[in-house]
Amino acid sequence: KAGVTQTPRYLIKTRGQQVTLSCSPISGHRSVSWYQQTPGQGLQFLFEYFSETQRNKGNFPGRFSGRQFSNSRSEMNVSTLELGDSALYLCASSLLGGLYEQYFGPGTRLTVT
Amino acid sequence: SQQGEEDPQALSIQEGENATMNCSYKTSINNLQWYRQNSGRGLVHLILIRSNEREKHSGRLRVTLDTSKKSSSLLITASRAADTASYFCATDATSAGTASKLTFGTGTRLQVTL
């Protein structure tokens, strides 16, 4: 089976812009989660989607949003970018969510200038 | 916020030696997963151990879990240069079939030299 794919792999944006990142989970997996990784805060949970519904949300401002499509593919959007949003954004795919292994994609490296 | 701490923060060993990393966490969990991350890349899933398990093996990896002490350890035997990476533990306190939320430790940076 193909692994989790994320596009784009690298992105450079300017403060105030918005960005959309995409994630395609492993075939058959219905749960998609997003994480942000920064040197200062480490790996932090953003949100999780299952069957097109957000089931869980981390402690991030409303500028961070996401959605999931009927084929389980997911997108996350960050509006009004700030310098502090520069990070590696990782998507994780799981069969059903809780209690199952989470498999991560290669990530999208976002740089905000 | 981080669920737990990993110890040591950095570990340098020679090829062929064993590497042990420890992870402590704060709340009750349903499972704990270990991941490897090569510099700036995605996380590679290594092993999942459930709260009712005490030990699990996968190839050169051995993971233990002590829920009474809220701690886990990852042992890599006969290490290779290719094992050089950061290793993270991640806990999941959610229930089966429900929303998943992994809480990660701070990571251990492992350097294996020839």
Side-chain angles (χ1 to χ4, degrees):
Chain A
K1 276 186 182 177
V4 180
T5 58
Q6 290 187 244
T7 56
R9 294 291 311 277
Y10 303 91
L11 209 47
I12 300 175
K13 289 285 187 178
T14 304
R15 264 185 308 176
Q17 288 186 316
Q18 76 165 22
V19 67
T20 299
L21 312 182
S22 181
C23 171
S24 292
I26 293 170
S27 177
H29 283 193
R30 295 169 62 188
S31 166
V32 174
S33 301
W34 289 88
Y35 291 81
Q36 181 197 64
Q37 185 178 27
T38 60
Q41 299 298 316
L43 283 149
Q44 295 190 91
F45 171 77
L46 280 156
F47 28 65
E48 189 239 12
Y49 286 87
F50 182 85
S51 292
E52 302 178 66
T53 301
Q54 187 182 88
R55 286 201 301 193
N56 207 349
K57 190 177 190 307
N59 240 2
F60 279 82
R63 300 185 297 106
F64 291 81
S65 63
R67 59 177 175 168
Q68 186 181 35
F69 302 95
S70 58
N71 61 358
S72 293
R73 190 176 70 84
S74 177
E75 290 181 347
M76 69 162 278
N77 185 277
V78 187
S79 62
T80 320
L81 284 165
E82 301 177 358
L83 294 179
D85 297 334
S86 294
L88 181 66
Y89 289 89
L90 294 160
C91 163
S93 153
S94 170
L95 190 63
L96 293 173
L99 284 192
Y100 291 86
E101 289 86 348
Q102 302 275 322
Y103 296 98
F104 283 79
T108 294
R109 172 75 61 186
L110 172 65
T111 302
V112 182
T113 61
Chain B
S1 63
Q2 302 291 336
Q3 158 76 295
E5 299 292 324
E6 290 181 63
D7 170 55
Q9 288 189 337
L11 181 60
S12 183
I13 59 173
Q14 290 193 316
E15 208 173 42
E17 294 182 334
N18 295 341
T20 300
M21 290 158 256
N22 302 296
C23 165
S24 62
Y25 56 90
K26 298 172 184 171
T27 64
S28 296
I29 62 169
N30 285 319
N31 67 60
L32 184 147
Q33 303 183 53
W34 282 90
Y35 290 88
R36 183 185 75 230
Q37 184 178 40
N38 291 89
S39 183
R41 298 190 179 182
L43 298 167
V44 174
H45 186 270
L46 296 176
I47 202 163
L48 178 151
I49 186 165
R50 303 193 189 284
S51 60
N52 60 353
E53 297 174 311
R54 292 297 166 256
E55 188 170 313
K56 209 160 179 182
H57 297 255
S58 177
R60 294 184 295 113
L61 307 179
R62 173 180 169 253
V63 168
T64 62
L65 179 64
D66 187 335
T67 52
S68 66
K69 294 181 179 177
K70 292 187 169 59
S71 67
S72 174
S73 68
L74 169 68
L75 168 68
I76 304 173
T77 60
S79 63
R80 307 165 181 167
D83 294 328
T84 294
S86 292
Y87 291 81
F88 294 89
C89 68
T91 55
D92 193 338
T94 54
S95 304
T98 63
S100 174
K101 174 185 174 182
L102 291 179
T103 306
F104 283 84
T106 50
T108 292
R109 174 74 189 154
L110 174 65
Q111 177 79 41
V112 182
T113 55
L114 296 170

